[in-house]
Amino acid sequence: MFFPIQYLINHGIPQETISLLLMIPIIATIIALSRQVIGIKGFGIYTPLIISFAFLSTGLKFGLMLFLAILLVGTLSRLVVKKLRLLYLPRMAIIVIIVTLTVIGAMYLGIYANRTEVITTSIFAILIMITLIEKFIAAQIEQGARGAIILTSETLILSIISFWVVNWSWLQDVVVQYPVWIIIFSLLTNLLLGRWTGLRLFEYYRFREVIKNVELPKKK
Amino acid sequence: MLNFLKKSEYVLGLNARNLSYLRPSNSRRALRIADNKLLAKRILSKAGLPVLETYGVISSYDDLKNFDWNNLPPTFVLKPNRGLGGEGIVIVYGRREKEPRPWVKANRKMVSIEDLRDHIRNILEGIYSLTGLPDAAFFEERVKLLKLLKPYSFRGIPDIRIIVYNSVPIIAEMRLPTEESGGKANLHLGGIGVGIDMGTGITTCSIQRDRLIEYVPGKRVPLRGIQIPDWQEVLRMAVYAQQATRIGFLGIDIAIDRDKGPVILELNVRPGLAIQIANQSPLKDRLQRIKGLKIKTISKGVKIAQDLFGGEIEEELEGISGRRVIGINEPIEILDANRNRHLTMAKIDTGAYRSTVCKNLAEKLGLNKVISRKKVKGALGAEERPIINLSFVMDKRLVSTETFIADRSEMKYDIIVGRKDLKRFLVDPAKNVFMKKPKIL
């Protein structure tokens, strides 16, 4: 194993922590790549990354259910609170309160139904999901329903892909074994991506009619 | 497939827009101007460009407390200064006389002073601003809809988006508000984008949500063939606005007011790329042709745009009629005795039947073999003129005919082309008006 990493582990830092940290460059690169080359936008790097880490603690199925439930309650309460005509932050605070109450309610429901996930889930995963509601609601206000749905589902897709990558045990070993290569690879990829001026994959589809109509200059 | 990839290189994508065009040509200063509507208006109106009148600015709670509501006219638009995508805009169309004298919105809903105060407080908090930072609100004159455009727009005001790069208008589209877009002219909300032929200002293809459409949704009103009024003026304004703001790559939104004519509504440093679909024409290609050109005057920029990027309507006409569209002045190539081509300018004259060529030119080209003579009656009396055989190529078509020869050494053009030789052409008096005489022979 790479010596500096071994040193950290010998001094009591869990290997899991280190492998999660070293996953961040990979996830960030994947997210940058999906935006620049494929055209999946999502909410920047932070949101999909943090959701995928939350999924790690909750498990994908339960995590997704929790996320969608929070999103649904958040959106519904926004529509109700909208009528009160309040200033932005107090309005958002009320939405967060309603969502929090819902999560607490869900805990009772979980205990009643004897679902163990509810009891074992780390508080950080739940906190992340609740606080992210602000971002999703803000998107609804700024982009309208359609834009918000697209952005949210793109973010969710990215989160699920990131979750699979982070959860991949082979890769977890590789990042600890060859951390230097992972960093160099991520940096180089991003340097290239940052200068990439080609069409994004979705743009080939979006502009297909225009492309078909292009008249290539005749060879002389 | 390979062809498809090659063709796709002509289309401008978001990556290339941001990296190759926004970054190098738009400084931080540029972003500051375009994202701040009031600042942009100040700069534009200082340069003498027409902008909408501002009735009042509220940039703090103090301003709001001291605002004199009685000075507002019955119709106005309330906007956030750093708003994005048409969010947070309130439009009122009239004011009720009965106390508490509320204003009326497009959907007949009432707006009281208290409602406006609420809305302004939200704006001040920065709900609609780009970055969520505190913002200012301002009242602005409402654009009065042009009668011509009424059948095409739902509630709001259509505007004309022109992208100007390096003092040349690159591409233009009209944006129509629809029911789906809630009366806003923003394409991503469901507004219609209508491509405009740069040369004539006549509309071509249309899109809604990136898909081609032919009619106004739900109506049988075709979107093709609308003539934008004051087209030259609109183009000139766009170029001037780009020069005045010194923003290298800029989208300029111009509305045409019923009374005031063209006015600049807004500047946009990140113009959307759907405009390529609306025009069915790729942008990257156009931008590369303009890059590095030295454009000295506004007229030059407009002329280059019309010559290089215009012609869609013409092509369509030519397709339908099977005839070529030519202007009043047209370059033609005369074939001499040895079938060599000689370039000169011709005057197209639909008032004359037979073409006439200058005697000196005919002699020089060895074409002066007279085959017959004919009497012509003109304003100066009857005259007998010799006729020769002549072939020329005009707009890629070969015309073989018999023409008069006459002494035209005092005239500007060596040849006049008459009706007899114009049967395979359509004459557009607006075309080539500025075309200079090329150096000949």
Side-chain angles (χ1 to χ4, degrees):
Chain A
M1 192 179 280
F2 186 58
F3 176 70
I5 299 286
Q6 189 65 60
Y7 179 84
L8 291 179
I9 293 175
N10 289 346
H11 283 75
I13 294 179
Q15 184 173 341
E16 204 198 334
T17 307
I18 294 167
S19 95
L20 272 187
L21 276 177
L22 286 170
M23 281 293 179
I24 294 178
I26 298 183
I27 301 296
T29 308
I30 290 177
I31 293 169
L33 188 101
S34 351
R35 159 98 53 116
Q36 305 307 334
V37 178
I38 302 173
I40 300 177
K41 266 190 179 157
F43 292 107
I45 289 176
Y46 171 76
T47 313
L49 186 89
I50 201 81
I51 294 178
S52 65
F53 280 20
F55 283 167
L56 272 187
S57 133
T58 58
L60 188 58
K61 213 168 114 194
F62 180 63
L64 268 177
M65 267 163 52
L66 187 68
F67 180 83
L68 291 176
I70 286 177
L71 200 63
L72 187 73
V73 173
T75 309
L76 287 179
S77 42
R78 176 182 87 94
L79 295 177
V80 176
V81 175
K82 198 174 153 189
K83 296 205 177 113
L84 300 178
R85 279 207 279 191
L86 302 171
L87 289 175
Y88 180 74
L89 280 183
R91 189 164 33 139
M92 203 55 98
I94 292 177
I95 295 172
V96 172
I97 291 169
I98 297 176
V99 169
T100 312
L101 287 176
T102 315
V103 170
I104 295 175
M107 283 173 172
Y108 284 107
L109 208 71
I111 293 168
Y112 178 73
N114 248 337
R115 297 296 292 259
T116 45
E117 298 104 313
V118 183
I119 303 155
T120 52
T121 297
S122 113
I123 177 64
F124 285 106
I126 296 177
L127 275 184
I128 286 167
M129 302 264 193
I130 294 177
T131 45
L132 277 181
I133 195 71
E134 183 186 355
K135 249 200 153 96
F136 290 99
I137 299 291
Q140 288 177 9
I141 298 173
E142 274 163 27
Q143 312 252 341
R146 195 191 160 99
I149 290 171
I150 293 174
L151 261 183
T152 307
S153 30
E154 282 176 341
T155 306
L156 215 51
I157 290 169
L158 282 178
S159 313
I160 295 172
I161 293 171
S162 313
F163 166 78
W164 281 330
V165 172
V166 177
N167 212 15
W168 190 4
S169 53
W170 177 77
L171 195 63
Q172 283 170 358
D173 287 341
V174 170
V175 289
V176 182
Q177 298 288 341
Y178 309 102
V180 179
W181 288 113
I182 294 294
I183 304 281
I184 290 177
F185 172 76
S186 313
L187 281 177
L188 278 180
T189 314
N190 281 303
L191 280 176
L192 285 176
L193 282 177
R195 309 252 66 193
W196 169 250
T197 58
L199 285 185
R200 299 173 185 177
L201 221 53
F202 283 170
E203 285 177 336
Y204 281 102
Y205 177 75
R206 184 182 182 205
F207 295 126
R208 65 195 179 284
E209 294 292 333
V210 183
I211 296 175
K212 270 184 219 154
N213 278 336
V214 170
E215 277 175 40
L216 289 173
K218 282 178 195 121
K219 276 177 199 135
K220 277 176 188 165
Chain B
M1 185 63 203
L2 215 78
N3 231 0
F4 185 80
L5 283 181
K6 205 180 222 168
K7 284 177 176 180
S8 73
E9 281 167 23
Y10 288 77
V11 174
L12 186 71
L14 282 169
N15 291 338
R17 182 198 72 177
N18 296 345
L19 202 61
S20 314
Y21 295 99
L22 295 195
R23 283 283 165 72
S25 44
N26 292 358
S27 57
R28 284 253 294 285
R29 189 193 70 93
L31 295 176
R32 228 188 58 224
I33 296 174
D35 291 339
N36 183 336
K37 294 192 179 100
L38 286 167
L39 180 62
K41 268 169 84 162
R42 211 152 47 224
I43 290 175
L44 291 172
S45 73
K46 214 170 166 188
L49 283 159
V51 293
L52 294 171
E53 199 184 324
T54 311
Y55 296 137
V57 180
I58 298 178
S59 41
S60 66
Y61 281 91
D62 266 358
D63 287 356
L64 182 59
K65 221 190 291 170
N66 302 327
F67 191 74
D68 183 6
W69 297 91
N70 292 320
N71 269 354
L72 281 176
T75 172
F76 60 80
V77 181
L78 172 61
K79 284 183 177 176
N81 187 29
R82 292 167 194 277
L84 182 69
E87 291 291 324
I89 293 176
V90 175
I91 308 169
V92 297
Y93 290 79
R95 196 172 184 179
R96 286 280 158 89
E97 279 310 317
K98 230 173 81 185
E99 287 300 326
R101 305 193 59 212
W103 284 273
V104 188
K105 285 208 285 192
N107 52 10
R108 303 249 161 80
K109 283 202 178 133
M110 300 291 160
V111 185
S112 65
I113 291 180
E114 206 36 56
D115 291 330
L116 289 177
R117 275 210 192 100
D118 263 358
H119 190 76
I120 292 171
R121 268 188 219 113
N122 278 330
I123 292 176
L124 292 177
E125 286 294 316
I127 291 186
Y128 306 105
S129 86
L130 278 167
T131 44
L133 291 173
D135 197 4
F138 64 99
F139 294 95
E140 192 176 61
E141 167 189 6
R142 180 175 67 85
V143 180
K144 286 171 284 320
L145 181 59
L146 208 60
K147 265 215 180 79
L148 166 78
L149 297 176
K150 203 161 192 177
Y152 304 101
S153 22
F154 179 84
R155 279 186 191 151
I157 295 292
D159 64 15
I160 297 157
R161 155 77 53 87
I162 298 173
I163 297 182
V164 180
Y165 174 63
N166 187 19
S167 295
V168 178
I170 300 291
I171 198 163
E173 98 187 313
M174 179 162 60
R175 307 186 306 161
L176 300 172
T178 62
E179 190 167 358
E180 193 182 342
S181 72
K184 285 172 188 154
N186 301 73
L187 292 201
H188 73 272
L189 296 175
I192 300 173
V194 189
I196 301 175
D197 174 49
M198 198 55 95
T200 55
I202 295 175
T203 59
T204 56
C205 317
S206 307
I207 52 163
Q208 189 178 30
R209 295 244 180 250
D210 288 353
R211 254 179 234 133
L212 285 167
I213 56 170
E214 281 292 327
Y215 299 97
V216 177
K219 293 193 207 169
R220 293 302 273 177
V221 183
L223 290 161
R224 213 175 263 277
I226 310 167
Q227 169 75 60
I228 309 286
D230 302 319
W231 182 238
Q232 288 271 340
E233 187 53 32
V234 169
L235 288 179
R236 291 181 64 89
M237 265 171 60
V239 176
Y240 190 32
Q242 191 232 333
Q243 293 181 344
T245 52
R246 288 182 288 136
I247 301 178
F249 183 87
L250 183 65
I252 295 141
D253 296 344
I254 295 174
I256 299 178
D257 185 84
R258 199 190 302 153
D259 306 325
K260 285 180 141 181
V263 269
I264 299 187
L265 284 186
E266 234 175 81
L267 304 176
N268 197 322
V269 279
R270 288 171 285 260
L273 298 177
I275 198 168
Q276 299 177 98
I277 313 176
N279 278 285
Q280 289 288 298
S281 175
L283 254 185
K284 209 187 204 171
D285 181 46
R286 294 187 175 197
L287 289 166
Q288 276 162 357
R289 286 159 78 178
I290 296 306
K291 198 169 193 168
L293 289 184
K294 289 224 158 49
I295 312 294
K296 285 196 191 108
T297 62
I298 294 175
S299 306
K300 184 93 186 170
V302 170
K303 192 172 124 37
I304 288 178
Q306 291 190 304
D307 286 352
L308 277 185
F309 308 135
E312 282 131 342
I313 291 292
E314 216 173 278
E315 276 165 27
E316 207 172 301
L317 254 179
E318 288 174 349
I320 297 168
S321 63
R323 300 179 201 184
R324 310 287 301 185
V325 175
I326 55 174
I328 285 298
N329 314 319
E330 195 68 25
I332 71 168
E333 292 170 309
I334 301 178
L335 303 183
D336 68 14
N338 301 320
R339 309 299 279 179
N340 293 322
R341 292 179 176 199
H342 298 270
L343 182 69
T344 183
M345 281 305 272
K347 181 96 184 164
I348 308 302
D349 183 0
T350 53
Y353 175 69
R354 195 182 288 269
S355 304
T356 307
V357 68
C358 179
K359 206 165 142 192
N360 301 348
L361 182 67
E363 266 166 29
K364 216 150 108 192
L365 300 180
L367 296 168
N368 46 346
K369 192 176 153 243
V370 176
I371 51 168
S372 69
R373 280 166 196 282
K374 224 175 192 139
K375 268 195 185 141
V376 265
K377 267 190 225 158
L380 301 170
E383 185 190 1
E384 200 182 56
R385 281 186 182 175
I387 290 176
I388 59 165
N389 276 322
L390 186 86
S391 298
F392 58 85
V393 176
M394 185 158 68
D395 204 357
K396 293 177 202 140
R397 291 211 170 165
L398 178 71
V399 180
S400 291
T401 180
E402 296 161 3
T403 63
F404 285 132
I405 46 174
D407 184 15
R408 293 187 58 82
S409 49
E410 297 293 303
M411 319 293 260
K412 200 169 152 200
Y413 297 92
D414 288 324
I415 177 164
I416 286 180
V417 181
R419 285 197 302 280
K420 182 175 180 293
D421 303 326
L422 290 172
K423 286 174 186 149
R424 292 190 290 150
F425 301 91
L426 292 171
V427 182
D428 176 4
K431 197 189 168 188
N432 298 354
V433 178
F434 309 106
M435 198 178 253
K436 288 225 180 73
K437 208 173 163 182
K439 283 253 180 303
I440 51 154
L441 298 174

